[in-house]
């Protein structure tokens, strides 16, 4: 799709692009609810049955969990290059996330009231790792390392092993990231096992990780029973590029998003019509040789877009309207645009920062808000595995200063025991 | 209920206390879904109809919104004492929450990669304020002030006005807190109006505030369409008190929770059986004269508990198991206990810090996780109205250092366009 910001119908066409649905509405809510209730009621027995049905494995024969030795063996079996790459990624992700640990507060104000907040890690967290094509070791690192940096005591991974298949890269990444337990479980039943426990699998406090529509709906239904990371949709990138980029570079960036999923979205904002044509041509050229062409081509054809602006300085309001998961600013002065952007999950600055480098080894998290949710939510962080306890301490003197106001307000709200609990200490 | 930690059946009895359900299971999900769909499809017309049905007012006659002048008049009509109390509360809440504003990060590491994060406020937020008995001005302050401290541009309040009734204290609090718009709408339809917009009411990014089962279910169903604060249940307090407290003080503290709601829970941990008896007697005595007796008595009778320990130093694991919303430590050295507590919403330290002072004028937020959710979630804060955008910037040199690892990982994950977008910049 090609839009031109100088066309008379542009505003409407752009709004249509913003609100286009990319996911088919799949109503799995009642199916998921039944699975959750079953696992809650019958624990291990339900998980055994559901795994036999969906993944065609008998957990009593295959083993419910993947032993530590198997994870270590997977790590030791890696090619040295790949192992070094995973370890570099882990180290960089760990360093960035260590900087996210929040500081405690402890202050005493002019009235003599002491107050503050202390942060602590949750005791346990569960990480869902999809099976099959979307089983990515990089996602294991991105989800597990923040939990361990936070100080989570027990990090439990669940992953489906259809017909017994298990990705050794995922096991190796789990070992590098410090995952404590790995269980063969997938789908809504795995999320239920994490939230409720099953007997063998102990329940956790927070559940994170990507998954299909069943997994996403299970997380949504269990939100409040456990903490969850976010509601995730198809991935997306917005590249802002002037004409002084190599069209092949930008085409590769657009396709790196498109190859994730046929519902992924890649959008280019540019101020150069000839460059737009060159990128279009390069996308077609690169698609032809791509092993992921069957995914990337429908994504680009159905959801890809190139939008022409007369001046890239005019793009920030349109960037904010899309609130993209990934924003790449392939210009000489990316700060000039970033400085005016309010809503984006993660920004990749300059001509030498392809989004894909951030998927693996940049440091910041690649679990990011999609579907315009960057308007109100953030990428995964250490604080998703922590919580804050506030505190307050009054002395007789400081209670004497602020207590009478509490008494007045409690009385006005019709809460006499509230009023009394303060007044009685003041001798009122 | 009285438990003694030295009894043989104590462990089981305590677990029963921890897992007792306090809320009847109300299945309002399908009713709520129908209302959300109706408001989404028909906007103003649906809201008008639903408000006529549930609140018995015609918005076209009563006025859809409460004009600024009415809010200012409510503030000017307050008794001076009450106005001063509200203003003191607002000032203290504002000061505490100002300290929650997160800092941006911008670092360059040894490889020459620049990375960091920037925080920005959401553009708009919606605040639900219940009608009737639970219409509290203190809740308006606690929900609205963090939004304004965060930098939210447009803060929209919705509140039901059954038969036209509106609490002037709530309007005054809205004015003090800087609420921008006030609309007459309640129930699931008000939450839908905030999330989808209705024509007259513009949609918002984040929805906060307490409400009944319909409001809570609407927020849960719209989680992901908008950000929400949390899933809230009945309120609770755990008081840890030795025998050297005035039993009347502690009885008042327990009742200040019980009077909120018949499903609220008040628990006392003590190491002194005679003190426990004295508190029990004081609760009965105070209940007799209380205007909220009809609420507080069933709460105390059905959900209240006193647990005897031989040593209060043994309480922290039991405190963590309950993960109480409010924890009051009425002992000489509260730090000795707090230092070993991991899960609590907010802690009130010492003999002169009744929980109620924190409900109004302490400074920290009174919107806190209930129902053991302090294991994984935190009280309302400024960051609930903000989000973080991470960023990454590579130079040709730094991409040369970390890029090859990204290429290896992308190839191993079967994502060739990811690999190409990095490799092409490295001339690989």
């Amino acid at each position: 799709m090609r839009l031109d910001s100088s066309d008379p119908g542009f505003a409407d066409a752009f709004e249509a692009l913003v609100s286009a649905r990319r996911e088919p509405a799949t109503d799995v809510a009642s199916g998921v609810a039944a699975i959750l209730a079953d696992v809650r009621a019958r624990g291990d027995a339900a998980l055994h049955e559901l795994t036999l049905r969906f993944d065609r494995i008998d957990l009593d024969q295959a083993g419910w969990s993947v032993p530590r030795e198997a994870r270590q063996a997977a790590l030791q079996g890696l090619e040295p290059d790949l192992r070094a790459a995973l370890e570099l990624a882990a180290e960089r992700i760990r360093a960035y996330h260590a900087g996210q640990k929040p500081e405690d507060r402890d202050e005493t104000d002019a009235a003599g009231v002491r107050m503050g907040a202390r942060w602590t890690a949750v005791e346990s967290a569960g990480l869902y790792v999809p099976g099959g094509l979307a089983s990515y070791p990089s996602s294991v690192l991105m989800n597990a390392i923040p939990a361990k940096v936070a100080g989570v005591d027990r990090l439990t991974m669940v992953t489906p092993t259809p017909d017994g298949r298990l990705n050794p890269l995922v096991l190796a990444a789990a070992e590098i990231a410090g995952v404590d337990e790995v269980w063969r479980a997938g789908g809504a039943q795995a999320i239920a096992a994490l939230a409720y426990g099953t007997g063998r699998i102990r329940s956790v406090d927070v559940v994170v990780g990507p998954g299909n529509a069943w997994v996403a709906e299970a997380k949504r239904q269990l939100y409040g029973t456990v903490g969850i990371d976010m509601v995730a949709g198809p991935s997306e990138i917005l590249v802002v590029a002037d004409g002084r980029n190599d069209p092949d570079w930008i085409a590769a960036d657009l396709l790196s998003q498109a190859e994730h999923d046929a519902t992924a979205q890649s959008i280019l904002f540019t101020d150069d019509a000839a460059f737009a044509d060159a990128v279009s041509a390069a996308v077609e050229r690169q698609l032809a040789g791509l092993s992921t062409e069957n995914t990337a081509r429908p994504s680009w054809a159905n959801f890809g877009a190139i939008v022409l602006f007369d001046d890239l300085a005019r793009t920030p309001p349109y960037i904010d309207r899309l609130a993209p998961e990934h924003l790449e600013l392939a210009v000489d002065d990316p700060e000039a645009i970033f400085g005016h952007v309010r809503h984006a999950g993660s920004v990749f600055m300059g001509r030498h920062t392809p989004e894909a480098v951030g998927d693996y080894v940049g440091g910041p998290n690649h679990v990011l808000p999609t579907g315009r949710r960057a308007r109100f939510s953030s990428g995964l962080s250490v604080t998703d595995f922590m919580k804050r306890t506030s505190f307050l301490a009054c002395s007789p003197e400081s209670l004497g200063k602020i207590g009478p106001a509490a008494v007045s307000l409690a009385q006005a709200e019709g809460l006499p025991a509230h009023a009394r609990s303060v007044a009685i200490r003041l001798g009122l």
Side-chain angles (χ1 to χ4, degrees), chain A:
Chain A
M1 184 199 300
R2 186 80 75 96
L3 302 180
D4 188 326
S5 69
S6 63
D7 283 350
F10 175 70
D12 289 345
F14 188 79
E15 278 310 302
L17 178 68
V18 167
S19 26
R21 273 189 84 89
R22 285 186 284 139
E23 278 173 298
T26 50
D27 190 8
V28 297
S30 61
V32 166
I35 289 174
L36 302 191
D38 191 22
V39 173
R40 186 177 200 179
R42 297 194 303 128
D44 286 340
L47 189 60
H48 184 269
E49 246 178 69
L50 291 161
T51 303
L52 196 59
R53 188 190 316 163
F54 291 115
D55 297 338
R56 297 163 301 281
I57 57 163
D58 182 332
L59 289 173
D60 290 335
Q61 289 174 10
W64 287 65
S65 66
V66 179
R68 183 80 200 276
E69 298 70 41
R71 286 129 64 188
Q72 288 170 328
L75 180 58
Q76 277 144 17
L78 283 187
E79 292 168 41
D81 267 15
L82 208 50
R83 178 170 179 162
L86 271 180
E87 284 173 344
L88 176 70
E91 182 193 323
R92 295 185 58 84
I93 295 165
R94 207 172 279 127
Y96 181 81
H97 288 79
Q100 287 180 332
K101 285 191 86 165
E103 282 181 25
D104 291 347
R105 294 173 63 187
D106 192 340
E107 299 143 19
T108 300
D109 70 11
V113 180
R114 182 180 159 208
M115 65 189 97
R118 294 184 192 174
W119 287 88
T120 45
V122 301
E123 289 183 20
S124 53
L127 162 56
Y128 188 88
V129 178
L133 280 179
S135 170
Y136 296 136
S138 59
S139 289
V140 174
L141 300 184
M142 290 287 185
N143 282 278
I145 290 173
K148 281 296 171 182
V149 169
V152 170
D153 302 317
R154 177 168 54 89
L155 178 56
T156 303
M157 185 172 124
V158 290
T159 190
T161 59
D163 303 309
R165 284 193 309 273
L166 230 170
N167 183 344
L169 276 170
V170 158
L171 287 187
E175 187 61 17
I176 288 174
V179 168
D180 296 294
E181 310 171 351
V182 178
W183 298 87
R184 295 176 185 268
Q189 60 272 22
I191 304 297
L194 290 172
Y196 297 129
T198 63
R200 285 173 191 264
I201 302 180
R202 280 181 295 165
S203 66
V204 301
D205 298 314
V206 168
V207 175
V208 302
N212 63 17
W214 290 70
V215 169
E217 176 62 19
K219 283 167 69 181
R220 179 200 285 276
Q221 289 188 18
L222 289 166
Y223 169 66
T225 300
V226 290
I228 70 169
D229 49 350
M230 63 178 68
V231 175
S235 197
E236 68 226 8
I237 192 170
L238 169 56
V239 180
V240 179
D242 59 29
R244 292 182 304 111
N245 284 281
D246 184 327
D248 270 315
W249 294 17
I250 301 301
D253 299 348
L254 295 169
L255 288 174
S256 76
Q257 207 60 40
E259 74 178 348
H260 265 301
D261 189 327
T263 61
Q265 182 166 52
S266 306
I267 298 177
L268 171 65
F269 283 3
T270 184
D271 57 356
D272 184 325
F275 178 73
D277 293 339
V279 171
S280 284
V283 164
E284 291 305 321
R285 229 170 23 241
Q286 293 185 21
L287 267 174
L290 212 60
S291 64
T292 50
E293 180 181 354
N294 286 343
T295 306
R297 189 177 287 284
S299 161
W300 178 247
N302 297 328
F303 303 112
I306 297 181
V307 185
L308 268 177
F309 288 87
D310 55 3
D311 184 346
L312 294 182
R314 290 187 50 224
T315 58
Y318 298 92
I319 295 169
D320 278 345
R321 191 78 187 110
L322 285 164
E325 180 189 14
H326 303 108
L327 172 65
E328 190 175 305
L329 301 174
V331 294
D332 280 334
D333 184 9
E335 196 61 59
I337 294 176
F338 187 18
H340 292 94
V341 169
R342 185 157 170 180
H343 308 311
S346 197
V347 179
F348 303 85
M349 313 232 298
R351 306 186 195 278
H352 299 276
T353 316
E355 186 274 321
V357 80
D359 279 340
Y360 295 107
V361 294
N365 213 286
H366 81 195
V367 180
L368 295 164
T370 55
R372 302 186 58 235
R373 295 188 187 88
R375 289 173 296 129
F376 55 81
S377 63
S378 311
L380 190 68
S381 91
V382 164
T383 54
D384 289 311
F385 301 96
M386 301 184 80
K387 66 270 174 357
R388 186 183 357 86
T389 299
S390 56
F391 64 87
L392 190 70
C394 292
S395 60
E397 297 70 36
S398 62
L399 188 66
K401 288 180 189 159
I402 68 172
V407 175
S408 296
L409 290 168
Q411 284 167 341
E413 289 188 351
L415 295 171
H418 282 67
R420 180 188 281 160
S421 75
V422 179
I424 199 170
R425 286 172 165 87
L426 300 175
L428 298 177

